[in-house]
Amino acid sequence: MPQASSISVLVVDDQLTMRALIRNALQQIGFKDIREAPDGEEALKNLLAKPANLVISDFNMPKMDGLALLRAVRSHPPIRQTAFVMLTGRADRELVQRAVQFGVNNYCVKPFTVQGLRDKIEQVFGQLT
Amino acid sequence: MDELEAIKVTFFQECEELLADLEGGLLAMQDGNDDGDTVNAVFRAVHSIKGGAGAFGLEPLVRFAHVFETLLDAVRSNEVPATPDLVVTLLRASDVLADHVSSARGLGVVDEAVSAAMAAELKACTDPNAAPAPVAAPVVEAVAFEAAPVAAAPAETLIGADDALDDDDLGFDFQPMTITIDEQAADVAAAAGNVWTVSIRPKSDLYRKANETALLLRELARLGPIEATLDASAIPPLDMLDAEAAYATWTVRLETEEDETAIREVFEFVDGDCDLEITRGEGLAPDAALAALLAGEAPAPVAAPAAPEPVIVAEAPAPVVIEAAPEPVAVAPVVEAAPAPVAAPVAPAAPVAAAPAAAKTQQIDVPGPGQSVIRVDPERIDRLIDLVGELVINQAMLAQRVGEYGIAPSSNLAMGLDELEQLTREIQDSVMAIRAQPVKSVFQRMPRLVREVASMTGKQARLVMDGENTEVDKTVIERLSDPITHMLRNAIDHGLESPEERKAAGKNPEGVVKLAALHRSGRIVIEVSDDGKGINRERVHSIAIKKGLISPELQLTDEEIDNLIFLPGFSTADKISDVSGRGVGMDVVKRSVQALGGRISITSRPGQGSTFTLSLPLTLAVLDGMVVDVAGETLVVPLAAIVESLRPKPEEVRPLGPVGSVLAVRDSFVPLIDVGLTLGYRDSSPPPTEGVVLLVEGEDGSRAALVADAIHGQRQVVIKSLEQNYQQVDGVAAATILGDGRVALILDVDAVISLRRREPPRPAEPTLIAAE
């Protein structure tokens, strides 16, 4: 049972509000090491400089979208195993299917609650303490 | 919950940006720029607004944004073509969306009827065959997703609300892929096994044969991710540098699945022209720190610079829990450095006393993007600017005292003070630069205004903007909005003709209104021009006479007639329209602009259009001025207005009329104005030859010679508003505090010139603003 506080998270979303909300939710779950990036490009740079255990990423972002980020993460050996949870809207079904092909660990449909997000993360890491 | 409130504030700030992006994107589409990126950016803006609004339960906003987004999605996927008409609709929809945002913020109300009509219009655009069919239930293919459905407690915040549906799977088979942190760590470690260190030291022959290191690096990068470090320590000082020689050494950390042969192949063509070393694993100590960083560790203090064997983190048996290992693990393959994953991660466990090399690698740590932009409460900056203003005054006082004590300018004290002055200036400039903003924030509100005014007046207008990135102090920006709004309204309402009239005149039915910003001689100039009919001078002239604003026998130039519209009580509109006639005339605009030390004027060409020109100081905080004495008072004359200063010779002064006189300056004559007399400091002027003359130029280019008793020197002064602290005084722009602590008034040069003109005993004559 991993401890939430020992899992490092990178939140990727082009919207400051959304990053703040997700950060807030993660803090409620017990995460402490939370970083942010506004797009895939920054996220990848960030990860290569300092890997994280978990990436929570939006899909539609400028420069490099969530799907491209996922592919990039999976093709860089040191960070290949980063857990990747994609945030999607209901309309993005095909997108999630593609994300599955590229090895997404889980997805979370907006809107979600703190508990909903927790469940999704626990499905990947096991129950969090 | 407080935190959520704070995020909500952020959300509304972000909405402003998103709305601007939305409008910007739509305007780009209007100009025919409808590539995928632009359309997607437009979509994303609405999508993001909707997402955030959902999280805060802003229902009306979510509903409207949803309809809008649906249409944009269809445009994005080319199901609905982005015709010019559609873009116009989208622009109007963006206005309604902006209203919804303001309403959600509590800053106004949405016209429900308008919103509903707009939503219906958007829906019709999305599906032209609008069979108002009930929304079909989504086709569920295979529901096998095991996740427990989230019981959405109503009190709980829904994050990133999209559609108001609460089941959270998309109806297809998906098993979350579990992962353990140990695997990740092992992966990070394993990756180090594929690491090569390639050291390249080109010889000069390499360059002579027109090869280039960059090409080699690019080739290497084809094999896998590289990190290249340049060792430039061998480069001699410039005077000893041989331009033909090669000094640099590159150390490349390459991650690749390929073997050494593949790496050597890259260097096939430069064989012998460079020293090449290829080793498996990380390089030596300094690189180890970098590698450690890349492996997610805190930078290693280079405690063991001689660590001979490459550090292979892979040898560390799992489990290595990355973030729980604040201790540097990189120096040697030691596992005990990874304590049990109990401790909360100590954020970057910076070895403060580490060697410079470690400090250097730390910089490689990519800062989170959130850190690259700091949002600061503007009040803090204002406070800083005030303080810097005090600092400037204080420094000036100090310098003056030192001067009074007769300390030699070459003394250490005086030189130190000079340096202090320099620094103070720099601090002031830097602080002012923080508050400087591009006029974009004001300009971006204008396209909507133009659309609304045009549709209200039945005109067709297109706004062209230029110089949106021109920067000006925030205090000025805030005051630009009103005059620009007014000038634009005026340009469309009074300037542009109706589409029919334009056609008849052989013009494009769509009028063009141009809004431009530029810097000119230390001021910001805003120009609003239209290609309309221009000012009807006869009519303006006759109205001004009819309203008793000017006397009929007064001979006026065309320019003077044009500028009569700024006279108080002047309004050419026969009927007060909803647009320009909001009870505020151009005279009010002019007065508010003048209060800021600005000028406004208009030029016009019949049949071709008019141009409003507004000029304002770049900042309302400081001013470069000339300190002069007049009748025992100390005044500051803005340096920007001064052309030259001189001592008039008796033969250069010629009388003109009963009281006036002019000064011959080279080939022209300029009116002599005794500042002391004009401001009422004295009743009669001493001969101008006893004083000093400042040749000044007004905003409109008119010149005058101001007579003062003595010049003290040039100084930067901090502007203190006279209106805020006292009241407005004719001929005085503001006040300041001098080095000796006295208050000095800052002269409003243009006002002094015009005061002088109406001075001589014809009290009935109105001020001719045009001539100002």
Side-chain angles (χ1 to χ4, degrees):
Chain A
M1 278 199 288
Q3 277 193 318
S5 64
S6 69
I7 296 176
S8 54
V9 195
L10 177 67
V11 176
V12 194
D13 198 310
D14 56 326
Q15 222 188 334
L16 188 62
T17 314
M18 210 47 76
R19 293 202 299 272
L21 283 168
I22 297 168
R23 174 185 280 273
N24 185 271
L26 289 171
Q27 279 166 345
Q28 286 185 44
I29 296 171
F31 288 94
K32 294 242 167 17
D33 184 354
I34 306 168
R35 285 176 278 152
E36 297 177 15
D39 58 64
E41 220 171 271
E42 287 293 329
L44 187 62
K45 266 195 233 165
N46 195 314
L47 284 172
L48 287 175
K50 188 168 188 278
N53 300 117
L54 169 65
V55 170
I56 295 181
S57 174
D58 187 26
F59 167 66
N60 193 346
M61 293 178 290
K63 290 188 203 161
M64 185 194 252
D65 67 21
L67 214 53
L69 173 63
L70 173 62
R71 295 180 67 173
V73 166
R74 293 290 180 250
S75 58
H76 281 74
I79 54 171
R80 189 158 48 194
Q81 296 254 17
T82 311
F84 203 107
V85 173
M86 184 85 89
L87 299 178
T88 94
R90 278 202 63 79
D92 303 328
R93 227 184 83 183
E94 286 153 39
L95 200 136
V96 174
Q97 282 169 330
R98 289 180 62 202
V100 171
Q101 285 169 12
F102 295 131
V104 78
N105 293 83
N106 209 344
Y107 66 87
C108 191
V109 177
K110 299 189 224 175
F112 52 85
T113 58
V114 175
Q115 185 57 43
L117 184 64
R118 186 191 180 111
D119 290 345
K120 294 290 186 182
I121 297 171
E122 287 188 339
Q123 284 164 10
V124 175
F125 286 111
Q127 201 180 357
L128 297 172
T129 55
Chain B
M1 265 304 150
D2 271 355
E3 201 167 334
L4 279 182
E5 277 307 307
I7 299 177
K8 200 166 170 179
V9 172
T10 311
F11 168 66
F12 284 124
Q13 281 173 358
E14 206 168 19
C15 273
E16 291 298 320
E17 292 162 22
L18 290 167
L19 285 169
D21 289 350
L22 170 63
E23 188 169 40
L26 287 172
L27 289 172
M29 284 169 74
Q30 200 170 34
D31 293 340
N33 191 351
D34 56 357
D35 58 272
D37 282 350
T38 310
V39 180
N40 196 24
V42 165
F43 169 83
R44 197 166 46 232
V46 178
H47 180 77
S48 295
I49 291 174
K50 185 180 102 168
F56 298 108
L58 307 169
E59 272 310 312
L61 176 55
V62 174
R63 272 199 305 274
F64 186 80
H66 178 69
V67 179
F68 197 173
E69 181 198 24
T70 311
L71 174 55
L72 288 173
D73 195 27
V75 174
R76 188 171 65 142
S77 53
N78 289 323
E79 288 163 34
V80 173
T83 60
D85 282 349
L86 182 77
V87 176
V88 170
T89 307
L90 294 176
L91 274 167
R92 282 192 292 115
S94 75
D95 295 342
V96 177
L97 185 68
D99 289 345
H100 272 289
V101 170
S102 303
S103 155
R105 209 173 181 174
L107 303 172
V109 278
V110 180
D111 188 331
E112 276 309 325
V114 171
S115 170
M118 194 70 237
E121 200 177 332
L122 293 176
K123 276 182 190 154
C125 291
T126 312
D127 184 6
N129 313 319
V135 183
V139 185
V140 177
E141 281 168 13
V143 187
F145 190 47
E146 296 177 2
V150 180
E156 233 183 330
T157 316
L158 286 168
I159 298 163
D162 197 297
D163 300 67
L165 292 165
D166 55 9
D167 57 334
D168 69 343
D169 66 89
L170 297 175
F172 67 93
D173 200 358
F174 176 73
Q175 282 291 341
M177 293 182 12
T178 58
I179 204 164
T180 67
I181 294 174
D182 299 352
E183 285 171 32
Q184 295 179 339
D187 212 35
V188 170
N194 296 325
V195 171
W196 296 84
T197 303
V198 184
S199 164
I200 313 160
R201 192 182 178 289
K203 299 175 185 165
S204 49
D205 271 353
L206 183 138
Y207 297 111
R208 208 163 285 143
K209 291 178 186 168
N211 270 309
E212 214 195 308
T213 335
L215 299 172
L216 296 171
L217 293 178
R218 204 179 296 160
E219 281 303 312
L220 272 181
R222 283 180 208 271
L223 302 175
I226 65 165
E227 297 268 347
T229 320
L230 171 65
D231 179 4
S233 58
I235 299 180
L238 196 57
D239 50 339
M240 292 158 73
L241 184 113
D242 174 5
E244 305 258 311
Y247 299 103
T249 308
W250 273 267
T251 308
V252 180
R253 179 189 183 279
L254 168 68
E255 253 178 59
T256 180
E257 311 277 320
E258 302 285 352
D259 56 14
E260 192 175 329
T261 326
I263 302 173
R264 290 223 174 259
E265 262 169 25
V266 171
F267 298 91
E268 205 174 351
F269 295 106
V270 293
D271 198 13
D273 292 337
C274 72
D275 293 330
L276 185 66
E277 253 177 67
I278 301 177
T279 47
R280 193 173 188 110
E282 306 290 349
L284 299 182
D287 295 306
L290 175 68
L293 188 95
L294 287 162
E297 300 297 349
V302 191
E309 72 267 57
V311 179
I312 300 168
V313 189
E315 283 176 22
V320 179
V321 180
I322 299 160
E323 56 289 291
E327 247 70 58
V329 231
V331 176
V334 191
V335 191
E336 33 91 13
V342 182
V346 181
V352 179
K360 197 175 135 205
T361 49
Q362 221 161 6
Q363 292 174 357
I364 300 170
D365 196 338
V366 179
Q371 291 152 2
S372 58
V373 176
I374 312 172
R375 286 170 193 250
V376 185
D377 183 357
E379 273 174 29
R380 291 194 192 181
I381 296 177
D382 294 349
R383 169 95 185 115
L384 191 60
I385 286 179
D386 278 354
L387 282 174
V388 172
E390 300 296 330
L391 182 66
V392 170
I393 292 171
N394 222 285
Q395 183 272 327
M397 278 189 195
L398 206 56
Q400 189 157 343
R401 296 274 156 76
V402 167
E404 283 164 7
Y405 279 107
I407 292 170
S410 58
S411 69
N412 284 343
L413 179 61
M415 275 165 25
L417 267 176
D418 278 350
E419 261 169 54
L420 178 65
E421 183 179 354
Q422 201 66 37
L423 280 173
T424 314
R425 280 261 183 168
E426 275 176 38
I427 292 176
Q428 194 170 29
D429 288 349
S430 313
V431 172
M432 294 305 294
I434 296 178
R435 207 169 59 170
Q437 289 176 341
V439 292
K440 203 185 234 162
S441 58
V442 175
F443 274 28
Q444 70 193 13
R445 297 206 285 269
M446 298 306 156
R448 173 173 188 177
L449 176 95
V450 169
R451 283 198 293 281
E452 286 178 351
V453 174
S455 82
M456 242 187 266
T457 53
K459 311 227 167 129
Q460 287 178 17
R462 203 162 78 88
L463 180 66
V464 179
M465 295 196 284
D466 194 21
E468 294 113 302
N469 290 322
T470 310
E471 284 196 342
V472 62
D473 189 56
K474 185 177 133 279
T475 48
V476 177
I477 288 240
E478 286 162 358
R479 320 257 198 130
L480 280 177
S481 183
D482 280 354
I484 293 180
T485 305
H486 229 83
M487 291 189 292
L488 277 176
R489 280 197 182 127
N490 223 291
I492 299 166
D493 195 17
H494 300 311
L496 293 185
E497 313 91 330
S498 67
E500 299 75 36
E501 280 176 75
R502 290 183 64 91
K503 257 187 241 168
K507 291 183 182 177
N508 187 333
E510 186 182 60
V512 174
V513 182
K514 199 174 164 202
L515 174 61
L518 57 145
H519 283 157
R520 189 186 290 156
S521 51
R523 295 172 76 89
I524 181 164
V525 176
I526 306 280
E527 284 182 353
V528 173
S529 50
D530 63 69
D531 65 347
K533 55 185 178 282
I535 287 181
N536 183 339
R537 295 201 176 107
E538 258 170 51
R539 190 148 156 264
V540 167
H541 194 213
S542 68
I543 288 174
I545 293 171
K546 203 166 72 191
K547 297 199 172 180
L549 300 172
I550 53 167
S551 71
E553 60 265 28
L554 205 60
Q555 289 296 312
L556 297 174
T557 64
D558 285 351
E559 207 188 329
E560 285 168 341
I561 296 176
D562 289 347
N563 284 277
L564 288 175
I565 63 162
F566 292 111
L567 286 185
F570 187 93
S571 170
T572 54
D574 294 330
K575 54 177 193 303
I576 297 292
S577 69
D578 190 26
V579 181
S580 304
R582 292 200 175 164
V584 184
M586 289 311 290
D587 60 314
V588 177
V589 176
K590 184 178 177 96
R591 239 178 298 139
S592 70
V593 165
Q594 274 176 326
L596 295 172
R599 315 282 153 215
I600 188 167
S601 63
I602 187 167
T603 55
S604 176
R605 280 193 293 173
Q608 292 179 39
S610 317
T611 302
F612 279 104
T613 308
L614 165 71
S615 101
L616 286 170
L618 287 178
T619 170
L620 302 177
V622 287
L623 174 103
D624 277 308
M626 189 75 88
V627 181
V628 298
D629 260 354
V630 173
E633 299 285 334
T634 308
L635 294 171
V636 178
V637 184
L639 211 55
I642 300 177
V643 182
E644 60 177 298
S645 55
L646 46 107
R647 264 184 195 286
K649 299 188 185 81
E651 66 271 20
E652 288 167 350
V653 181
R654 315 265 173 89
L656 180 76
V659 285
S661 51
V662 291
L663 180 72
V665 181
R666 285 179 280 275
D667 291 336
S668 62
F669 292 97
V670 290
L672 269 168
I673 300 173
D674 177 22
V675 179
L677 190 71
T678 312
L679 294 183
Y681 290 156
R682 56 186 163 208
D683 298 328
S684 62
S685 308
T689 44
E690 285 176 15
V692 194
V693 160
L694 296 176
L695 189 63
V696 293
E697 192 171 87
E699 254 329 294
D700 57 355
S702 63
R703 289 188 169 198
L706 303 186
V707 185
D709 299 346
I711 289 180
H712 275 298
Q714 186 185 326
R715 199 157 303 163
Q716 187 171 53
V717 296
V718 178
I719 302 175
K720 302 276 177 192
S721 162
L722 209 53
E723 287 139 84
Q724 269 171 30
N725 298 310
Y726 176 57
Q727 67 181 58
Q728 205 192 330
V729 179
D730 279 352
V732 175
T736 188
I737 302 170
L738 293 176
D740 57 7
R742 278 183 305 147
V743 171
L745 300 180
I746 300 172
L747 216 58
D748 181 342
V749 170
D750 292 69
V752 167
I753 298 175
S754 71
L755 273 175
R756 170 65 190 154
R757 279 186 195 156
R758 68 175 162 188
E759 189 88 337
R762 286 180 293 170
E765 188 195 326
T767 320
L768 264 187
I769 307 223
E772 186 179 293

